[in-house]
Structure formats: structure tokens, C-alpha cells
Amino acid sequence: MTTRVLVADDQDLVRTGLSMILDAQPDIEVVGQAADGKAAVELAHRLRPDVCLVDIRMPGLDGIEVTELLAGRGVVDPIAVVVITTFDLDEYVHGALRAGARGFLLKDAGPELLVQAVHAAAVGDALIAPNITRRLLATLAAGASSKRRTQPIEPLTQREEEVLKLVAVGRTNAEIAAELFISLTTAKTHVANLLAKIGARNRVEIAMWAYDTGRVGH
């Protein structure tokens, strides 16, 4: 199954480069390119790609505004967004994730991580460059939240608590399966149960919740 991608970046060279990397993959097709945020939203609504790869700093609408319009909580039929930028700044990461992004990458992350992020977003998962994840979650843990929900909708099992902690430190489903000596299918089931029990949209929100409730330190 081919993952259809829209690439939005105001720099022609970057946009072309990202598109070439993705188009070189046998199961990814770049179906459109946009040079500004407004065009990105219009193209996304018209083409309905599986994933939008969006730069943070663009004229018209920036990447966070684009993300809110395509993937925000109030959007009826959201489109997966992966944010990519040259700027490794906390406020951008926070803003992108709050807006509903399913990934956050730096432009120097490399082709492999870029492809992984697109694939993850296409199946409803989330991928953030590991160096960003650690710092982001530590920052969130350091700041007290006034809206903490310390209990899940249903109590977590002991195994779910173990999986939760591994998700929070950036382990993939395959790594979780290997570490806990369980099958990949079982690992995926535990992650799905966590999403339902704590009301999270993706793995990043699971990790945030784990830090926010003190289950994982920093």
C-alpha cells in the first residue's frame, strides 16, 4: 500500500530534496508540493494525502497553524502531519504537538528517520527525533501542570505500566516486545490499550502522560 505525501516548505531546494528522498521509496508517493502554509492547507484538502510534511516557518500560515487546521482536535476528518524544521526550539515542539502533529523532525535528521516518521504518521503513530523527545519530555516533567489527570479511565495492569515506561523513553513496539519477551502483536495490543485508557492520541501523548503523572522521572 502506497503512502501519499504532501510536502510543504518555502525553500525550493529543501522541498525538492525532501520530495526526492520520499519518492525514492517504493511505498511512498509525493502527490503535491506547497511553498507556503495557505497553499499547503488548500492542497491537503483537495488531494487528501495520507501524510503532510510541513515546515514550521512558512509565509502566510506557519507550520503550527497549518497543523491546527489539518489535524487539530476540532477537525472532523484530520490529516496526519509531520513537522520538520531547522530550528530545535522547545516552543516549536510544544506548539506542534499541541496542534496535533504526529511527528517532529529536524531537517538534518537524515533520510532514514524521515521515512520512518512518514510511515509512523500514516498508520496513526507518532515519531519524534530521539534527541528532541528526551529534552521535550524532561521539560514537560519539570513544569507543573494545573490540569493533571493522575488516574487513567481504567486502572493500568502491571504489564501496561511496564509498557508505558518503555514508550515514555522512546522504545518502538519491536524493542518493547524484545525487552519484555512478548510478541510484537502483544506489544501493539498493550500500546492500543494504553491509548484508550489514558485518552491519548498517539505514543507521544502516552509519554507526556507518563511524565506528567510521575510514572517516569527525568
Side-chain angles (χ1 to χ4, degrees), residues 15 30 42 162 178 209:
R15 192 170 64 252
V30 175
E42 290 173 354
E162 292 171 346
W209 187 85

Side-chain angles (χ1 to χ4, degrees), residues 1 10 19 24 32 38 43 75-76 85 98 106 129-130 133 152 156-157 181 188 206 209 216:
M1 185 175 174
D10 62 331
S19 297
K38 188 170 181 291
L43 267 180
V75 177
V76 177
T85 182
R98 278 196 300 267
L106 299 182
T133 303
L156 303 185
T157 65
F181 302 101
K188 289 179 179 178
I206 289 177
W209 187 85
V216 178

